[in-house]
């Protein structure tokens, strides 16, 4: 256990240091989220009705949830590159815990998501967002975001190990994340959607996570959304962590 913890922290540090040397990836966690917020706030905000809330208050929880899901792309791309370049084979020759590679990757995503959340919250406050709940609820919302981001990192880790190239990682990842986030309550009220989409959006885990965030940050009414958000996050980890580990072992064994 001591070796696992130590090796995990070393791999996480490696990934974070390496990211600072890859500016194009770092842009995805800094400038791109700000662009999304400003575009939705000032381009679409005037055309979308959100009864009971200013659109900026409605928007920020949703767009942060979307961006947190995208945080796992660093793991997906990194694992795919490590497999293609043979780095996984080098790890096998070292006296280290094999689980540390995946654990370190997903742990570094937590740090990156914390950075993105901070940037988006600061941007949101500047353009008019405000918390309608206390400090405790605000902190609980951030903790829930980090849990969900960690869970979704395992989904993208599995995808990164499953496909053959970084281009495919981007394509498959976007195909999964974009429909799930847009067919949810992230950007528009679910009630405004036509039949079929509305029913899907109501059971979409992204809707549940976003509704939980609005309850914690805005005091919005909720039907146990926070509990179900935690359940969904833990369920995603329970399903995709073993799948990613199994796929990693297959890749490591050639």
């Amino acid at each position: 256990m001591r070796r696992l913890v130590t090796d995990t922290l070393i791999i996480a540090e490696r990934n974070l240091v390496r990211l600072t040397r890859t500016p194009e990836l770092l842009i995805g966690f800094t400038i791109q989220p700000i662009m999304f917020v400003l575009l939705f706030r000032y381009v679409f905000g005037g055309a979308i009705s959100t009864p009971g809330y200013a659109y900026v208050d409605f928007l920020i929880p949703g767009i942060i949830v979307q961006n947190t899901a995208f945080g796992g792309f660093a793991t997906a791309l990194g694992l795919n590159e490590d497999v293609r370049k043979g780095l996984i084979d080098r790890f096998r020759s070292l006296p280290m815990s094999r689980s540390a590679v995946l654990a370190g990757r997903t742990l570094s995503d937590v740090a990156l998501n914390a950075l993105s959340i901070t940037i988006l919250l600061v941007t949101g406050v500047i353009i008019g967002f405000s918390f309608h709940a206390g400090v405790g609820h605000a902190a609980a919302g951030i903790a829930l975001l980090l849990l969900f981001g960690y869970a979704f990192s395992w989904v993208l880790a599995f995808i990164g190990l499953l496909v053959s190239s970084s281009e495919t990682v981007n394509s498959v990842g976007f195909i999964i994340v974009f429909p799930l986030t847009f067919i949810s309550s992230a950007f528009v009220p679910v009630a405004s959607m036509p039949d079929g989409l509305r029913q899907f959006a109501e059971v979409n885990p992204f809707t549940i996570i976003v509704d939980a965030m609005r309850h914690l940050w805005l005091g919005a009414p909720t039907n146990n959304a926070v509990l179900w958000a935690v359940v969904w996050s833990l369920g995603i980890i329970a399903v995709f962590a073993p799948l990613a580990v199994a796929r990693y072992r297959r890749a490591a064994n050639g």
Side-chain angles (χ1 to χ4, degrees):
M1 181 59 67
R2 181 182 299 176
R3 170 174 288 183
L4 172 61
V5 173
T6 302
D7 292 347
T8 296
L9 293 175
I10 291 173
I11 293 294
E13 181 183 7
R14 165 192 175 260
N15 297 332
L16 293 173
V17 170
R18 182 171 175 270
L19 188 65
T20 61
R21 299 170 182 169
T22 314
E24 60 270 21
L25 284 178
L26 195 58
I27 288 173
F29 295 95
T30 53
I31 298 176
Q32 182 175 304
I34 296 175
M35 290 175 58
F36 266 102
V37 170
L38 296 180
L39 284 172
F40 271 91
R41 171 68 175 90
Y42 295 108
V43 176
F44 302 114
I48 300 174
S49 175
T50 52
Y53 302 99
Y55 186 67
V56 65
D57 289 338
F58 185 89
L59 170 69
I60 293 301
I63 206 164
I64 291 181
V65 169
Q66 182 198 53
N67 197 71
T68 301
F70 277 118
F73 270 95
T75 283
L77 293 169
L79 285 172
N80 185 271
E81 182 181 1
D82 288 346
V83 171
R84 288 189 295 108
K85 292 186 176 181
L87 189 60
I88 300 299
D89 294 330
R90 295 186 64 184
F91 284 148
R92 288 179 60 198
S93 67
L94 298 175
M96 62 177 289
S97 171
R98 290 192 179 184
S99 302
V101 176
L102 289 178
R105 280 284 183 186
T106 52
L107 181 61
S108 64
D109 284 346
V110 175
L112 291 174
N113 279 330
L115 173 63
S116 292
I117 291 169
T118 301
I119 291 172
L120 287 176
L121 282 177
V122 170
T123 304
V125 170
I126 291 173
I127 63 176
F129 172 76
S130 61
F131 291 99
H132 298 186
V135 175
H137 282 76
I142 293 173
L144 179 59
L145 281 171
L146 293 177
L147 174 63
F148 175 69
Y150 178 75
F152 216 80
S153 290
W154 285 104
V155 177
L156 291 172
F158 176 64
I159 293 173
L161 292 166
L162 190 65
V163 302
S164 58
S165 67
S166 58
E167 292 80 7
T168 310
V169 170
N170 279 318
S171 298
V172 174
F174 273 84
I175 288 172
I176 292 174
V177 176
F178 255 86
L180 286 175
T181 54
F182 277 90
I183 309 176
S184 74
S185 64
F187 304 113
V188 298
V190 170
S192 67
M193 298 181 184
D195 289 341
L197 285 182
R198 185 176 67 251
Q199 285 77 13
F200 176 82
E202 288 172 349
V203 298
N204 185 347
F206 277 83
T207 292
I208 295 171
I209 301 292
V210 172
D211 288 350
M213 295 304 304
R214 292 195 179 115
H215 170 69
L216 292 171
W217 285 0
L218 305 178
T222 178
N223 188 20
N224 295 322
V226 175
L227 174 62
W228 283 111
V230 173
V231 170
W232 263 107
S233 297
L234 296 178
I236 291 171
I237 295 172
V239 171
F240 283 94
L243 288 174
V245 169
R247 187 67 191 178
Y248 174 76
R249 287 175 177 171
R250 183 182 299 182
N253 292 328

